């Protein structure tokens, strides 16, 4: 798991309230909602206030955590290339009996409207609960996808992508069908727990009679700014998780992660495919291993993420380097070796996970692990070949269990005045 995770974990430290330079003071969510139109508030691309006229007296500046803003409209949907967020919710819906293409279009129109407003730090379009009052956008992202069954329910089977064919079975699967798949999938992430929950409730409420929740999962990551300096995130095994993730600046990033503008079907242009897996970590067994044994399983040092072949976290792994006894320093079954793109025909995926902890079983075993989310232009060339190879001999497989699974087509971003999926539902 650690070698291809979150894309941008380096987040600036939060600004201490009162330390914002003059002329760039933020405003509270309450002030934002009540005075934005009257005072001419201008928001930059990061969501911070860059200037205003006649600001309300005694306005309290937002910290950098609260003022962070992702944009709803764009070439791609939000929640794919942004950095890891502190809190996440994943929820899948099934269309209600009798609901079809017309109802689905109305639902996506409602969901897009609420997502646009909440991501801007505004109240929900109607009957806002006030849960996130006084908070800023907090880097909220809301992402929408379609599952395999959506197309039959809406009479759009001919528009279903071949890449959305069901995933094959894997030996590590112990899948709960009730917590897998779904007609519609929504990913919510934010750097504030109340902002994320507020979005979840708004999405659920706006589903109305058109769709019902099939399953829902909650996750978390380290809060941006919690470390002394920016660093790669850690998972619940204590490993740095994300060292070799593809980076947007790389020349082949878009080709690997997004469907090209000329791709098929046309409605998936600039979209991506999300594989979602709830991976339980068998932490009691893992924590019985010595530090050295854990590092042999992963192939990297636990302290700093450096490959066992030497160097630091960013040093290229030397797969041929051997020790005094002639043994490979990075074991043949080490997770980091097996998941390398150059060991899988170039297969790559952008991993953007959340950790989860859903309590403790009656025998004292923690129900905890990873809400694995990976993005790719084609899962048959991304997730599937890597998982098949892991099935054949990954040392980590003894300490994890895949308990639910889903594959979703996530269309490209919507333009101003459009809703997500409009080109599919009205094309």
């Amino acid at each position: 798991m650690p070698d291809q995770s979150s894309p941008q974990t380096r987040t600036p430290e939060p600004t201490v309230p009162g330390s914002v330079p003059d002329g760039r003071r933020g405003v509270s969510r309450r002030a934002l909602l009540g005075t934005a139109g009257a005072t001419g508030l201008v928001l930059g691309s990061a969501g911070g206030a860059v200037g205003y006229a006649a600001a309300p007296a005694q306005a309290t500046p937002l910290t950098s955590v609260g003022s962070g803003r992702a944009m709803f409209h764009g070439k791609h949907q939000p929640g794919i290339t942004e950095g890891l967020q502190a809190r996440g919710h994943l929820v899948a819906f099934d269309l209600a009996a009798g609901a079809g293409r017309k109802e689905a279009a109305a639902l996506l129109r409602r969901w897009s409207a609420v997502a646009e407003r909440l991501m801007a730090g505004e109240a929900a379009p109607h009957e806002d609960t006030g849960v996130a009052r006084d908070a800023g956008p907090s880097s909220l992202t809301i992402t929408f996808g379609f599952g395999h069954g959506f197309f039959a329910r809406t009479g759009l089977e001919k528009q279903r992508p071949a890449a959305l064919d069901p995933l094959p079975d894997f030996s590590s699967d112990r899948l709960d069908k009730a917590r897998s798949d779904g007609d519609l999938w929504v990913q919510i992430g934010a750097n504030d727990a109340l902002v994320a929950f507020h979005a979840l409730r708004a999405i659920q409420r706006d589903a109305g009679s058109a769709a019902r929740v099939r399953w829902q999962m909650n996750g978390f990551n380290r809060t941006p700014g919690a470390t002394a300096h920016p660093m790669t995130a850690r998972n619940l095994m204590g490993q740095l998780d994300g060292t070799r993730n593809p980076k947007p600046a790389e020349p082949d990033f878009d080709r690997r992660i997004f469907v090209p503008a000329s791709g098929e079907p046309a409605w998936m242009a600039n979209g991506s495919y999300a594989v979602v897996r709830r991976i339980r970590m068998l932490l009691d067994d893992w924590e019985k291993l010595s530090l050295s044994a854990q590092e042999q399983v992963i192939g990297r040092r636990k302290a700093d993420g450096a490959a066992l072949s030497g160097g630091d976290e960013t040093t290229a792994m030397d797969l041929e380097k051997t020790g005094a006894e002639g043994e490979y320093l990075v074991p043949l079954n080490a997770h980091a070796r097996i998941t390398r793109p150059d060991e899988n025909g170039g297969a790559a995926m952008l991993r953007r996970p959340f950790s989860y902890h859903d309590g403790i079983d009656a025998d004292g075993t923690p129900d905890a692990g990873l809400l694995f989310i990976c993005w790719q232009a084609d899962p048959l060339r991304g997730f599937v070949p890597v998982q098949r190879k892991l099935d054949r001999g990954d040392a980590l497989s003894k300490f994890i269990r895949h308990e639910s699974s889903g594959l979703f087509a996530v269309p490209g971003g919507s333009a101003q005045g459009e809703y997500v999926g409009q080109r599919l539902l009205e094309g």
Side-chain angles (χ1 to χ4, degrees):
M1 285 175 291
D3 241 33
Q4 291 187 4
S5 188
S6 68
Q8 298 173 0
T9 56
R10 290 165 172 80
T11 305
E13 295 291 312
T15 303
V16 177
S19 67
V20 183
D22 292 343
R24 296 193 61 191
R25 293 176 64 201
V27 295
S28 69
R29 181 184 177 90
R30 186 189 303 276
L32 179 67
L33 302 186
T35 64
T39 62
L41 177 68
V42 179
L43 294 179
S45 61
V50 297
Y52 57 84
Q58 305 301 318
T60 302
L62 292 170
T63 69
S64 60
V65 171
S67 64
R69 179 181 172 186
M71 306 307 292
F72 177 72
H73 295 293
K75 182 178 180 180
H76 309 299
Q77 285 197 60
I80 302 175
T81 59
E82 288 83 2
L84 290 184
Q85 294 136 308
R87 189 67 177 175
H89 300 292
L90 309 180
V91 55
F93 293 81
D94 286 333
L95 290 172
R101 183 172 177 177
K102 178 181 177 182
E103 290 76 16
L107 173 59
L108 268 297
R109 191 178 295 110
R110 292 196 301 274
W111 275 353
S112 296
V114 74
E116 181 177 8
R117 288 182 64 91
L118 296 184
M119 285 177 54
E122 301 173 4
H126 51 81
E127 298 182 357
D128 188 88
T129 62
V131 170
R133 183 173 296 164
D134 305 319
S138 299
S139 301
L140 174 68
T141 60
I142 304 177
T143 318
F144 303 101
F146 304 115
H148 187 275
F150 177 84
F151 297 86
R153 302 292 298 276
T154 55
L156 292 166
E157 294 98 326
K158 292 182 179 180
Q159 291 295 322
R160 184 170 59 216
L164 204 57
D165 287 348
L167 296 172
D169 294 331
F170 301 105
S171 62
S172 60
D173 288 354
R174 303 291 186 272
L175 303 183
D176 178 356
K177 297 298 184 182
R179 292 196 294 181
S180 299
D181 304 317
D183 294 340
L184 291 155
W185 175 66
V186 185
Q187 173 193 252
I188 296 167
N191 285 334
D192 179 78
L194 287 180
V195 169
F197 177 81
H198 180 241
L200 175 65
R201 283 294 292 145
I203 291 294
Q204 181 187 358
R205 285 158 58 93
D206 272 11
S209 61
R212 58 178 178 81
V213 173
R214 178 180 177 90
W215 54 260
Q216 195 265 313
M217 301 173 189
N218 307 311
F220 58 90
N221 285 303
R222 173 171 279 157
T223 300
T227 54
H229 55 84
M231 60 181 295
T232 306
R234 291 189 185 273
N235 60 33
L236 298 189
M237 287 179 162
Q239 302 291 149
L240 290 182
D241 197 338
T243 299
R244 287 185 54 83
N245 222 25
K247 305 295 190 297
E250 295 170 357
D252 60 350
F253 179 85
D254 279 4
R255 178 182 61 81
R256 290 177 166 191
I257 308 306
F258 294 109
V259 176
S262 59
E264 293 293 335
W267 65 268
M268 273 295 290
N270 300 314
S272 189
Y273 292 91
V275 173
V276 182
R277 311 275 281 186
R278 183 182 190 271
I279 304 176
R280 184 163 179 166
M281 295 176 173
L282 308 181
L283 294 177
D284 285 347
D285 294 336
W286 174 256
E287 291 163 4
K288 291 175 183 175
L289 296 180
S290 67
L291 173 61
S292 175
Q294 290 180 354
E295 292 178 338
Q296 290 289 306
V297 168
I298 300 300
R300 290 185 175 275
R301 291 201 301 259
K302 193 170 186 177
D304 58 7
L308 297 184
S309 54
D312 59 24
E313 183 185 357
T314 61
T315 302
M317 183 177 291
D318 185 347
L319 300 181
E320 303 303 318
K321 192 171 183 179
T322 58
E325 304 297 323
E327 77 286 0
Y328 287 115
L329 292 182
V330 180
L332 291 174
N333 63 349
H335 183 78
R337 175 190 283 266
I338 293 175
T339 57
R340 287 172 57 93
D342 55 6
E343 294 289 296
N344 293 279
M349 48 195 169
L350 177 67
R351 294 182 52 193
R352 195 174 181 277
F354 293 95
S355 294
Y356 78 87
H357 179 226
D358 287 342
I360 299 174
D361 292 347
D363 63 358
T365 302
D367 183 2
L370 196 70
L371 300 182
F372 172 95
I373 307 163
C374 72
W375 301 89
Q376 57 260 283
D378 183 350
L380 292 179
R381 297 182 180 181
F383 173 78
V384 171
V386 175
Q387 188 59 35
R388 278 178 169 158
K389 191 165 185 181
L390 290 171
D391 255 13
R392 293 195 294 268
D394 177 23
L396 187 61
S397 62
K398 291 172 55 178
F399 305 98
I400 60 174
R401 188 165 63 225
H402 292 236
E403 296 188 336
S404 67
S405 178
L407 171 61
F408 302 96
V410 177
S414 59
Q416 289 285 345
E418 288 186 341
Y419 62 86
V420 173
Q422 183 169 332
R423 280 161 276 180
L424 167 66
L425 292 161
E426 298 186 16

